[in-house]
Amino acid sequence: MSGLAARAKDEAVARRGILFVVSSPSGAGKTTLTRTLIEKENNLNLSVSVTTRARRPSEIDGVHYRFISMRHFEAMRAGDELLEWAEVHGNCYGTPREPVEQALAAGRDMLFDIDWQGTQQIYQRMRSDVVSVFVLPPSAAELKARLERRAEDSEEIIARRLRNAAQEIPHWTEYDYVLINCDLHESFAQLRAILTAERLKRIMHSDDLETRVAKLLADLRQIAP
Amino acid sequence: MSGLAARAKDEAVARRGILFVVSSPSGAGKTTLTRTLIEKENNLNLSVSVTTRARRPSEIDGVHYRFISMRHFEAMRAGDELLEWAEVHGNCYGTPREPVEQALAAGRDMLFDIDWQGTQQIYQRMRSDVVSVFVLPPSAAELKARLERRAEDSEEIIARRLRNAAQEIPHWTEYDYVLINCDLHESFAQLRAILTAERLKRIMHSDDLETRVAKLLADLRQIAP
């Protein structure tokens, strides 16, 4: 690469950020895929949810969740400070709006590991900023085998996860993309390709690109009139 | 990967093929990018144009072009057998329609290395099958430097290529994606990511995926009622 090309490369085209939503039933491989993506990709942060449930010993406040009081949660919800929220077994979970909007405006992308209901809520508020991916297991038998291989859940919990999967999977049609996760390596490459392509798509609509092409054309006409 | 996953992986989801159009001014790196893509990607063939110009010694009939008579070309054009065509310096060039339509129906993708005018003609006939990418040089000075480094063209021809570039580049806005080719390795990864993501997008609309998910759900409800 010449010096000129290196300089141009340093100046990435400014664009609006992406809300990159990944959903799947438990056991389809979503957590591994999204964790690897966060590790490998620059300019992509995981959205940290707030929750009213108690912190588990393994969890770090501000990393796994922001742990807040019910009163605080209610105030956020009433003040329209949550992009999406849900109540599960008496505990409340939500996505704070402000860090997301800051990231978008700064051209940073945010990764959301949420279910179809959270996805629907985010669609309602900022559909054009969202790119959504639904991860499917290759088969029912393989999903069951994966949950069993984890060896962390009782038979009863595995059966509940499978029933939940049957509730979640019909919502695949509401997503922009579907991955059938047969092979983690291939699925990761596909997930990353989606992010890369959608970033490029957003560059099409950036004023920055228009300015750059205008300069390129002006320079060309000067060196080859 | 378990045996079940391996079996599922072998059964790629059937979908309609893509017309993958890549355009750029001479010297922006398009030929290297598309040649590498053809080498690395399965299920992607380069569209072979017909032409009425004489075969050069280095060219192979059916590989670089199909060399046909003007009478044959006229008959193809009259019979609506060309997806796009152009006359350049008295020679005619065109893209035969039939191999393209066969490829699309069979779920094979076709790569087109054509200019903005050819792209417009293909848009008019099958816009929804097209994914188009415009490759930009990082700067006017870098484009000139690349053309000079090739050391195959006279100063006069380089000046003409630069003037042609100034004619071609304003059409970037008519494409689905733009790449600024600062670094070949990065641009290749981006081009490949576009193809991967657009293939996944087309899978969303395949009957095959619907059938598979229906089976997945039926199986799930059976093993976890």
Side-chain angles (χ1 to χ4, degrees), chain A residues 17-211:
Chain A
I18 290 171
L19 305 184
F20 198 51
V21 170
V22 183
S23 301
S24 85
S26 172
K30 177 182 57 170
T31 307
T32 310
L33 288 170
T34 53
R35 206 162 40 195
T36 314
L37 195 65
I38 288 282
E39 271 166 29
K40 301 240 175 178
E41 279 292 337
N42 295 325
N43 200 38
L44 178 70
N45 297 319
L46 189 64
S47 164
V48 179
S49 298
V50 293
T51 182
T52 61
R53 81 155 164 72
R55 185 177 68 79
R56 292 176 192 149
S58 64
E59 291 173 333
I60 302 164
D61 187 30
V63 174
H64 297 93
Y65 287 98
R66 265 176 60 209
F67 297 93
I68 63 175
S69 65
M70 186 55 110
R71 175 186 292 225
H72 188 169
F73 189 93
E74 292 290 4
M76 289 183 84
R77 196 167 59 185
D80 197 25
E81 290 173 43
L82 296 175
L83 265 186
E84 58 89 31
W85 67 275
E87 193 182 322
V88 182
H89 304 311
N91 297 310
C92 291
Y93 299 81
T95 300
R97 172 202 287 276
E98 206 191 331
V100 172
E101 292 190 338
Q102 281 174 356
L104 290 188
R108 289 195 314 272
D109 305 320
M110 291 282 262
L111 180 66
F112 295 82
D113 176 345
I114 52 179
D115 71 359
W116 71 271
Q117 297 181 72
T119 306
Q120 283 298 327
Q121 291 183 54
I122 292 189
Y123 279 170
Q124 279 161 32
R125 287 158 177 267
M126 32 209 336
R127 181 66 184 94
S128 65
D129 293 312
V130 176
V131 174
S132 63
V133 182
F134 197 89
V135 181
L136 284 172
S139 68
E142 174 65 19
L143 183 66
K144 185 161 179 276
R146 284 182 193 174
L147 290 170
E148 285 167 354
R149 274 202 301 277
R150 281 186 184 177
E152 64 187 18
D153 298 322
S154 68
E155 210 167 300
E156 193 190 336
I157 287 180
I158 288 175
R160 197 181 69 200
R161 289 196 195 283
L162 290 171
R163 284 193 301 274
N164 286 346
Q167 299 297 314
E168 179 90 8
I169 288 172
H171 294 279
W172 71 272
T173 52
E174 298 153 17
Y175 286 73
D176 298 322
Y177 296 89
V178 164
L179 296 187
I180 303 179
N181 186 19
C182 302
D183 171 68
L184 263 177
H185 185 262
E186 190 183 334
S187 297
F188 175 71
Q190 291 176 329
L191 190 66
R192 195 174 195 180
I194 292 168
L195 182 60
T196 301
E198 291 283 349
R199 283 172 168 170
L200 286 166
K201 200 157 242 176
R202 270 147 185 90
I203 283 176
M204 287 298 285
H205 307 295
S206 80
D207 296 340
D208 193 10
L209 182 60
E210 247 177 82
T211 310

Side-chain angles (χ1 to χ4, degrees), chain A residues 2 9 13 139-140 142 162-163 172 175-178 180 182 186 197-198 201 204 209 213 216 219 221 224-225, chain B residues 2 9 13 139-140 142 162-163 166 172 175-178 180 186 197-198 201 204 209 213 216 219 224-225:
Chain A
S2 75
K9 183 166 152 54
V13 179
S139 68
E142 174 65 19
L162 290 171
R163 284 193 301 274
W172 71 272
Y175 286 73
D176 298 322
Y177 296 89
V178 164
I180 303 179
C182 302
E186 190 183 334
E198 291 283 349
K201 200 157 242 176
M204 287 298 285
L209 182 60
V213 179
L216 172 61
D219 291 349
R221 283 166 187 148
Chain B
S2 77
K9 184 166 150 53
V13 179
S139 68
E142 175 64 20
L162 291 171
R163 283 193 302 272
W172 72 271
Y175 286 72
D176 298 322
Y177 296 90
V178 164
I180 303 178
E186 190 183 332
E198 292 283 349
K201 199 157 242 176
M204 288 298 286
L209 182 61
V213 179
L216 172 62
D219 291 348

Side-chain angles (χ1 to χ4, degrees), chain B residues 64-82:
Chain B
H64 297 92
Y65 287 97
R66 266 177 60 211
F67 297 93
I68 63 175
S69 66
M70 184 55 110
R71 175 185 293 227
H72 188 170
F73 190 93
E74 292 290 4
M76 289 184 84
R77 194 169 59 186
D80 198 26
E81 291 173 42
L82 296 175

